[in-house]
Amino acid sequence: MVRKMRTSEEYRQDLYRLKPNVYVRGKKVGRDDPEVSGGINIISKTFDLVDDPYFKDLLTAKSHISGKRINRFTHIHQSAEDLMKKQEMTRKICRLVGGCIQRCMGCDAMNGLSIATFAADMEHGTDYHKRFLEYLKEFQERDMVAACAQTDVKGDRSKRPHQQDDPDMYVRVVEKRSDGIVVRGAKNCITMAAVADEIIVVPTRAMMPEDKDYCVAFAIPADADGVKIVARTSKVRAPKGLDMPQGEFGDDENMIIFDDVFVPWDRVFICGENRYATLAAYLFALFHRHSYTGCKPATTDIIMGFGALIAEYNGVYERHNIREKLVELAATAELVYAAGIASAVHGTKTPAGTFMPNEVYANIGRRHAGLNYYKELEILAELAGGLPAALPFAEDFLSSEVGPLIKKYIKRKSDVPPEDVYRCLYGISNILCSSLGGVQAVAGVHGGGSPVMEEIAIWRTYDFEKKKDIAKYLAGISKDMPKD
Amino acid sequence: MVRKMRTSEEYRQDLYRLKPNVYVRGKKVGRDDPEVSGGINIISKTFDLVDDPYFKDLLTAKSHISGKRINRFTHIHQSAEDLMKKQEMTRKICRLVGGCIQRCMGCDAMNGLSIATFAADMEHGTDYHKRFLEYLKEFQERDMVAACAQTDVKGDRSKRPHQQDDPDMYVRVVEKRSDGIVVRGAKNCITMAAVADEIIVVPTRAMMPEDKDYCVAFAIPADADGVKIVARTSKVRAPKGLDMPQGEFGDDENMIIFDDVFVPWDRVFICGENRYATLAAYLFALFHRHSYTGCKPATTDIIMGFGALIAEYNGVYERHNIREKLVELAATAELVYAAGIASAVHGTKTPAGTFMPNEVYANIGRRHAGLNYYKELEILAELAGGLPAALPFAEDFLSSEVGPLIKKYIKRKSDVPPEDVYRCLYGISNILCSSLGGVQAVAGVHGGGSPVMEEIAIWRTYDFEKKKDIAKYLAGISKDMPKD
Amino acid sequence: MVRKMRTSEEYRQDLYRLKPNVYVRGKKVGRDDPEVSGGINIISKTFDLVDDPYFKDLLTAKSHISGKRINRFTHIHQSAEDLMKKQEMTRKICRLVGGCIQRCMGCDAMNGLSIATFAADMEHGTDYHKRFLEYLKEFQERDMVAACAQTDVKGDRSKRPHQQDDPDMYVRVVEKRSDGIVVRGAKNCITMAAVADEIIVVPTRAMMPEDKDYCVAFAIPADADGVKIVARTSKVRAPKGLDMPQGEFGDDENMIIFDDVFVPWDRVFICGENRYATLAAYLFALFHRHSYTGCKPATTDIIMGFGALIAEYNGVYERHNIREKLVELAATAELVYAAGIASAVHGTKTPAGTFMPNEVYANIGRRHAGLNYYKELEILAELAGGLPAALPFAEDFLSSEVGPLIKKYIKRKSDVPPEDVYRCLYGISNILCSSLGGVQAVAGVHGGGSPVMEEIAIWRTYDFEKKKDIAKYLAGISKDMPKD
Amino acid sequence: MVRKMRTSEEYRQDLYRLKPNVYVRGKKVGRDDPEVSGGINIISKTFDLVDDPYFKDLLTAKSHISGKRINRFTHIHQSAEDLMKKQEMTRKICRLVGGCIQRCMGCDAMNGLSIATFAADMEHGTDYHKRFLEYLKEFQERDMVAACAQTDVKGDRSKRPHQQDDPDMYVRVVEKRSDGIVVRGAKNCITMAAVADEIIVVPTRAMMPEDKDYCVAFAIPADADGVKIVARTSKVRAPKGLDMPQGEFGDDENMIIFDDVFVPWDRVFICGENRYATLAAYLFALFHRHSYTGCKPATTDIIMGFGALIAEYNGVYERHNIREKLVELAATAELVYAAGIASAVHGTKTPAGTFMPNEVYANIGRRHAGLNYYKELEILAELAGGLPAALPFAEDFLSSEVGPLIKKYIKRKSDVPPEDVYRCLYGISNILCSSLGGVQAVAGVHGGGSPVMEEIAIWRTYDFEKKKDIAKYLAGISKDMPKD
């Protein structure tokens, strides 16, 4: 008998049962508030398609611990193929929600912790990995949706965690008890925390021994006592009266305040070991950057699709200057995607069993995406012309007084209905001229780590010494023939 | 006795008296509707500062027809110095309204028509220039604010005006009467038409003799019978409870429908002469592109200012990677501005007396601005980090429950109040993550003509043959020494 | 017993035995002329390292027809792994010769013909593939080095082959005889033809039925009667007295004139079938672009190595602005390389047995390389400063009069000998300020097809319709959920 | 009677009379050595055209000290118009020599010293300006050609002059005598020193009080005792048998070694005053960067000319993708030129009388040029295709055996002689694939200061605080309305 998997309706009802601790526009609300419905609609797609004949092989996997069929967003990747499937799933499902699928965060955090806890135990004899596996079991069984809270508020950027005037500028352990720990601090820029079942916390940077209290990773329910989620929500301009999938989606970016939150020991995965706190920070970023090699090509696919469609509607699709722009978009999408493939092909099977993406390729892929997002918007703006900024509101388009005139004057080629032209431009306007579009752009640069962060990661992991050896050999400074 | 100039309050009251013909969000409204207040607030600045000791020399000029002190936005430029003052005025006043000052449109249209009408009369013996001068007199006396309606809806882009299936795809004369003409059609992407006293119409492209009916330029009151203004309005997210000049401004982009509108002969400036219709189209674009060499540097100034300020607040202002980004912005601003200066220095005194900007420099300046707008946004996003996309709402920042926690956690260096950090990020969020910001970006690319339009203009006006002569000389293909 | 493979000395002696038909600097010379020694030195590396413990697995393969160990440059790729090994071999061996290894051309031509001949036979019942396999057998047995002559001189670029005033502007069959064909025409920009055993000719573009006479692919010895090779040779400035591997290498780019050349039937692989002539053209380009995903990263490795080394010598290696430049180079190299990997992973096993690279990824990889070559040179120039343009000659550096002074003044950090600084700068000067460096740059843009050619290839092979479907779905124009 | 000005023949003969102290390819030679003839041919143009009706107003000026007609390359600029004329002269004459006119160096050094000496005297009561004026008189009378030696060899880049292990890493005063000073050290990357009458030395960087001995500016004959000029010369591949102006020009970049050189007091312009040594360094750079706003557009003109010509010959001149590339080049040239104009318009009349260019505009102009040179080469490579790298040698083109075949196969459109096609490609090859072309590229980046140097200059002189004020005003952080 095939296991019945969690449905989006179950997910939604579970969320509605959480205690109201989301703060938005001056109010404290529950997850049934319309402000956060956009995110819920997005995440729902990850449940709705698990039995779709086309998507099921992508959206589900066989658990390496239970052998059961699970949602791939809860899977610990075991092979290069797993990584490639995750990447493909991410790309294909992101397209359906107009951008970020949001659920990768928890998956990436779990994969990172699977390695970091194992490694910590090897050195310290701790039992983090056992705790982690217990949690993973539940995570897969309950098909959980988790936010990963990494970015601390950081206070004075020139100081390390333990040097801050206010010690709470990075999330820290303020008390250790027999049954668990109490944590205080705040994380910001945390996507979809307002629509997650759980929040997984990992450190945000390399930690020194002096930063011991800040070396903490754990998981808690999203409505745990003391957790306050301050949400910045964004949507597109409601296309009143026009049915449009793109209009149903939205984003919540959150400041999560940990106002002395208790975490039981079985949910604590790192506590005090600075090297493994560092590793946990690093590995979440690594897995997350690999995920970006799936989602950013999807975003480019969407931009490319709208750009190609409006060019077709405008009757200029075959022109050279249109073609070169579309090819530029295709190249960006596929270079990023290729980097993800190479990252999988050159990945590593870790002692924990988890298959880890190659660092250089994951980072150059994410970096390339981050360096090109605004360029892609620019291309879309060039392809679309000025109308996305000047498009009449849907209420006017549908009105009986000016609606017919708008339809008359928005028409282009005779074989394209004015409403299709309008819808296409509306969709582009959502990308270029909405707060949500702006949020996606900022996330396109910074999400998962800004290009400057990938620059640092590449600088640290790429073997430039080997390159110098090539120069030395060619210039006759050294006789050693360079190999790798 | 110094002449009393029009005040912003007079302008506002005059607008309120116009017949309601603005369509927005499904309603027909007057200019007192809050939807269009953002534009009114912007234009008001051009009245409010005429007596300010610092701005008065920039914001006013001496009329070459009346000798009176007039608002420079109604002036016909007589010299290179006039053009440079207009450019400087534009830059400095745009900064105060967070971007486009919007009033340049009418000024640029009037300057263009001053030359085109004169030239048409020279060839055709018409009296357009006399009509124009009469209108100019009123324009200056009443200190009028005009939109310039140029961009037609264009229908099938592969066909010329007279070839369209629907003959109304470009604004055209449908009837000539003894007292005037009747026009039909629609213009779109017309900025600030909903807050203008008058609408000046010029053709949108080069016209052939067969396009005779489309060769028309004229001016009418914004509420003339048959005029329907369908407005797309954009604002920033209201910073409720926080006083912030940036929050007062807004934009309206309009489709203006001319539903058989009567224009008396004394307001008709071109009617049937295709070469001068073409010239009028071309000259508005030329003067407008020169205006962009003033306004776009202002936009960059604003982006640069916010970028530098957040870097300072973050304590990273002196870092190399910050510095290079700020210098990049400065270079963009000043190259565009320099192009405007060169355009004035190499401009031409026309037979009509109007001083015309140099075409190559106006176009390369506007093009450089258009090619860099999204790049500038990207730089601002890089400088600001992810918070502009994740900033808590003002209501939460000011709330008694989570407000103090947000203040605690948004704090950086000890000498900067959290509210200043918040305000700075809010301002950046307005630029990066609002519908208005998105509209400004699209306008940054397309307003006044997209880079591809400037490319065409440069291709037509730049003397590439002279450059070939250099190559021929150096390669020994020709003995003629190249000079110019 | 292990088969003894061809040695570089054998290759060299075989070349010397060819009839002199190389024209250079006004003389007709044999292959023992110093003008072409640079190319011979490069190709020799592909023989010298076949038994090197590190390189042997890369440089050799098992023939799928004979089962024997062969040089991988003569191998027909059978799997994705083969393609990845070819790519890796190319990258690693190119590094040792300061750039292009040159021998890939013949290999890529053979792989392309393996598919095109098979496909032609399927439709036309011809026996091209059998001829090809016979030739392949000899090719592998004799371990041959072949140039691939593709680019025709093309005459008037606006006309197809059969439309040209002079019918010889594309290589064509002027006579068919019982024993073979006679061809006439010329190919230009043919790298290393002056140092090849054989010349393989393939068409340069898509052919129409009317171009029948131009639909010809064949192989001939490089000194066949009627073949005239006009060589443009390039080297670096001879570092007299300084031993420097980089100084031993050089390039020959050739115009190959076929002055009525006889080709026996068993060396004719396509003759008249326009669709398969087109396919042969296309497939050589495809395999060759995949090769570029190996060689261009090697070129970047070299540039990166010299850039990093001079930065180290200058004591600025760790500076942020240096680091970002080196990371930029690393990113370029690895994105191109990743595209090659993805091209292999998503490649296709053809009915002929040959494993064909994925077209989109091969093209975006090659395109990315081509778009970045000059950028890479710019980065190297920035890293190196002005000295590569101003470096004293080796004779002066080594002279007893000014040599010691040059050494004194070129010194930087105390732990780096002046000669190492000099050598490093000399190597950079070879890249930036030599005719060979310039040739490599032009080849970096155009070799294997310019970015504009890849643009065309991507335009034709990328499924933009699928992207439009995404936009239609999101905007509600179509209900069909997009999948691929 | 019109004053007879120095002729190129006189200049040449004067050079030949200098003592041989040029070291090149292991020999010590005089200025009559063919190695340095390329530079002499270039400089000669500045003498040959002074009486040409077209050029005379540009190439000559009226001396502000003698009232006589002088070569503008010896003029001290007195007005914005002077600066614009110098810029125009530079652009127009550079075109005639295929690039850098080389003579600006001395002119820029003299202009810088005219201000620095005046300012030093104001503070220190020294008589440097008087000495300078005496020297200027001679400089103008004798119509001298001077190199400006600024860039020191610098040793360990992390140390200031006085901190170096070897104190000679920056040129310094080793002895002060009653009749003058003795200096030691070396300058490198000094263009055209081997073909100059005189060498003017200025410091290379900001100097601290501790660097007193390094605070020295002076002028000496190019063959003064102890001066050793180690020349790196570069030419294009000699087009034997083809008359081609481009083939006559060449470059010498020099390391000038001051091996205890005596300088009499009347040629010493700064000696010990660190702030004015700094100022002299800074001002030469400033005037020189302004000169680059003339010469770099000329270089772009040449590239543009060859690019347009080969496109015409190829019959693709009107294609969109060609047009956009040519417009890109035009835009680069004119933005840089516009920056020079703005720098003049916003320049300053200094107390010394010299008119000083505006710093921001001179720097953004030079920076823009420096950031685009390799991009321009890339465009030229794209326009020209692969042939510049593969063009047969002139000897083969002219040979009776293969020459006619080359002519047959290089032909394109019927109305363009093959020799013109060949010459055009030859000229492009000179730019793209010659050591001289490479030297010009490196100079295009670094000459007059690299983009990173202009970045520093802009960072120091641009008022970013004013920009922050704009942000503070708009965000409500400050009530002060920003003005400048």
Side-chain angles (χ1 to χ4, degrees), chain A residues 332-382:
Chain A
T332 300
E334 302 307 338
L335 280 173
V336 174
Y337 201 67
I341 291 170
S343 180
V345 169
H346 285 273
T348 307
K349 183 80 171 175
T350 62
T354 309
F355 198 85
M356 187 175 83
N358 175 280
E359 299 150 307
V360 166
Y361 288 111
N363 277 290
I364 61 148
R366 171 65 188 96
R367 178 175 175 272
H368 195 66
L371 291 176
N372 280 282
Y373 198 92
Y374 278 95
K375 179 72 191 159
E376 294 174 42
L377 293 183
E378 182 185 3
I379 290 175
L380 182 58
E382 289 174 325

Side-chain angles (χ1 to χ4, degrees), chain B residues 327-339, chain D residues 289 293 335-336 338-340 342-343 358-372 454-455 457-458 461-462:
Chain B
V327 167
E328 178 68 34
L329 292 172
T332 300
E334 301 309 337
L335 280 173
V336 174
Y337 200 67
Chain D
R289 287 170 196 173
T293 66
L335 280 173
V336 174
S343 180
N358 174 281
E359 299 150 305
V360 166
Y361 289 111
N363 277 291
I364 61 148
R366 171 66 188 97
R367 178 175 176 271
H368 195 68
L371 292 177
N372 280 281
E454 282 103 41
E455 184 184 308
I458 296 166
T461 54
Y462 199 75

Side-chain angles (χ1 to χ4, degrees), chain A residues 304-325:
Chain A
M304 204 187 317
F306 275 108
L309 190 62
I310 193 64
E312 181 189 308
Y313 287 174
N314 283 342
V316 297
Y317 181 61
E318 294 287 340
R319 286 198 194 157
H320 171 84
N321 64 328
I322 301 300
R323 191 172 76 183
E324 69 184 4
K325 285 177 176 56

Side-chain angles (χ1 to χ4, degrees), chain C residues 26 168 232 381 396 408 429 446, chain D residues 26 168 232 381 396 408 429 446:
Chain C
D168 303 337
R232 153 87 166 217
D396 297 310
K408 169 186 169 81
S429 186
H446 292 295
Chain D
D168 303 338
R232 153 87 166 215
D396 299 310
K408 169 186 168 83
S429 186
H446 292 294

Side-chain angles (χ1 to χ4, degrees), chain A residues 470-478, chain C residues 243-246 306 423-424 427:
Chain A
I470 299 170
K472 286 180 183 171
Y473 170 75
L474 289 171
I477 296 169
S478 160
Chain C
D243 174 43
M244 188 180 289
Q246 199 189 20
F306 276 108
R423 282 178 175 276
C424 181

Side-chain angles (χ1 to χ4, degrees), chain A residues 432, chain B residues 235-236 373 377 430-432 434-442:
Chain A
L432 293 177
Chain B
K235 291 193 174 175
V236 300
Y373 197 90
L377 293 183
N430 285 341
I431 296 171
L432 293 177
S434 76
S435 59
L436 180 57
V439 166
Q440 288 173 330
V442 170

Side-chain angles (χ1 to χ4, degrees), chain A residues 23-28 35 153-158 164-166 168-169 184-186 188-190 228 230-235 237 251 253-255 257-259 314-316 319 321 370-375 377-393 395-396 399 401-402 405-406 408-414 426 429 432-443 445-446 450-452, chain B residues 23-28 35 153-158 164-166 168-169 184-186 188-190 228 230-235 237 251 253-255 257-259 314-316 319 321 370-375 377-393 395-396 399 401-402 405-406 408-414 426 429 432-443 445-446 450-452:
Chain A
Y23 296 78
V24 58
R25 296 188 194 273
K27 292 178 299 178
K28 180 158 77 170
E35 282 286 338
V153 294
K154 290 187 281 196
D156 185 333
R157 269 82 179 139
S158 63
Q164 300 281 336
D165 291 344
D166 179 343
D168 303 338
M169 290 297 102
R184 186 189 301 156
N188 62 18
C189 300
I190 311 304
K228 292 180 168 63
V230 187
R232 153 86 166 217
T233 55
S234 301
K235 290 193 173 174
R237 208 179 274 254
D251 177 74
E253 299 292 329
N254 305 278
M255 176 184 277
I257 299 168
F258 298 88
D259 205 10
N314 283 342
V316 297
R319 286 198 194 157
N321 64 328
L371 291 176
N372 280 282
Y373 198 92
Y374 278 95
K375 179 72 191 159
L377 293 183
E378 182 185 3
I379 290 175
L380 182 58
E382 289 174 325
L383 292 168
L387 267 176
L391 197 70
F393 287 106
E395 296 92 325
D396 297 310
S399 87
E401 187 172 1
V402 287
L405 285 167
I406 296 172
K408 170 186 167 84
Y409 286 118
I410 209 171
K411 196 165 169 61
R412 279 106 207 269
K413 302 195 314 178
S414 57
Y426 204 102
S429 186
L432 293 177
C433 303
S434 76
S435 59
L436 180 57
V439 166
Q440 289 174 329
V442 170
V445 171
H446 292 294
S450 321
V452 73
Chain B
Y23 296 79
V24 59
R25 295 188 195 273
K27 293 178 298 178
K28 178 159 76 171
E35 282 285 338
V153 294
K154 290 187 281 197
D156 185 334
R157 268 85 179 137
S158 63
Q164 299 281 336
D165 292 342
D166 179 343
D168 303 338
M169 290 298 102
R184 185 189 302 155
N188 62 18
C189 300
I190 311 304
K228 293 179 167 62
V230 187
R232 153 87 166 215
T233 54
S234 301
K235 291 193 174 175
R237 207 180 275 252
D251 178 74
E253 300 292 329
N254 305 279
M255 175 183 278
I257 299 167
F258 298 89
D259 205 10
N314 282 342
V316 297
R319 287 199 192 155
N321 64 328
L371 292 176
N372 280 282
Y373 197 90
Y374 278 95
K375 178 73 191 160
L377 293 183
E378 183 184 2
I379 290 175
L380 182 57
E382 289 174 325
L383 291 168
L387 266 175
L391 197 70
F393 288 106
E395 296 93 325
D396 297 310
S399 87
E401 186 172 1
V402 286
L405 284 167
I406 297 172
K408 169 185 169 81
Y409 285 118
I410 210 171
K411 196 165 170 61
R412 280 106 207 271
K413 301 195 314 179
S414 57
Y426 204 103
S429 185
L432 293 177
C433 303
S434 76
S435 59
L436 180 57
V439 166
Q440 288 173 330
V442 170
V445 171
H446 291 294
S450 321
V452 74

